[in-house]
Amino acid sequence: MHYSASAPYVWEPGFADSADCLLSSDQCVIQAQHYFVKGLVEIPVMGSDEVFSWAAWVSLSRDNFSRSADLWDTVGRESEEPYFGWLSTDLSLYSPSTINLKTRLHTRPVGQRPFIELEPTDHPLAVEQRTGITMQRVRAIAEAVLHAADSESR
């Protein structure tokens, strides 16, 4: 019911040793020029109270990233206006690519990942977020993700 990307699609392993780069479980900075926050693309599962989610990265402007970082541990931060951003995770199960879909990143209470609201377009991921998916679709996603992981480990 939940899958997570470890880094934005532009992250390269060599960045880990660079002083102007950072990758944590929640935030990423690349060459002190590109800023990312991890949030959740949540998709309701039809006929249930379940929610399927993709933990994905959103690029933010420097100012919005700084504001988000300043409020990271601040009680009441969820009253902050959403931040505009671009989806920066390639969810390969979707075509066309999910890279650079327009988003609004909604801050939640301390300890909770932000909510990623996709622009309401006809992109399949945006449609699924608006309309929900079946449990059969959840199983198909699980099979595809597990199959991809098995292929990568070989």
Side-chain angles (χ1 to χ4, degrees):
M1 296 299 282
H2 176 82
Y3 295 96
S4 182
S6 59
Y9 81 103
V10 292
W11 179 263
E12 296 176 13
F15 290 153
D17 298 325
S18 182
D20 61 354
C21 296
L22 160 85
L23 177 62
S24 74
S25 60
D26 300 304
Q27 299 171 322
C28 179
V29 177
I30 297 177
Q31 298 171 328
Q33 296 177 4
H34 306 283
Y35 305 90
F36 307 88
V37 172
K38 190 185 257 188
L40 298 175
V41 176
E42 295 178 340
I43 303 171
V45 178
M46 292 185 254
S48 77
D49 294 332
E50 300 283 336
V51 174
F52 176 86
S53 64
W54 294 104
W57 294 89
V58 171
S59 67
L60 298 178
S61 69
R62 180 183 181 141
D63 288 346
N64 285 343
F65 180 85
S66 293
R67 175 85 178 151
S68 170
D70 288 346
L71 296 174
W72 200 257
D73 294 317
T74 303
V75 173
R77 69 183 190 168
E78 62 273 15
S79 62
E80 186 77 358
E81 289 292 315
Y83 304 117
F84 174 80
W86 301 97
L87 195 65
S88 300
T89 297
D90 181 19
L91 301 174
S92 60
L93 276 62
Y94 295 92
S95 181
S97 173
T98 57
I99 298 299
N100 290 329
L101 291 177
K102 289 181 181 178
T103 70
R104 290 172 24 120
L105 188 74
H106 297 262
T107 306
R108 290 180 168 162
V110 173
Q112 293 183 30
R113 275 202 199 285
F115 170 68
I116 300 170
E117 175 190 9
L118 297 171
E119 180 182 48
T121 64
D122 62 353
H123 189 281
L125 180 59
V127 171
E128 286 184 350
Q129 186 177 50
R130 282 194 315 276
T131 63
I133 58 177
T134 63
M135 193 54 79
Q136 182 178 358
R137 171 71 173 142
V138 171
R139 284 191 286 280
I141 291 170
E143 289 174 13
V145 170
L146 293 173
H147 179 71
D150 286 347
S151 296
E152 290 173 7
S153 65
R154 288 183 198 149

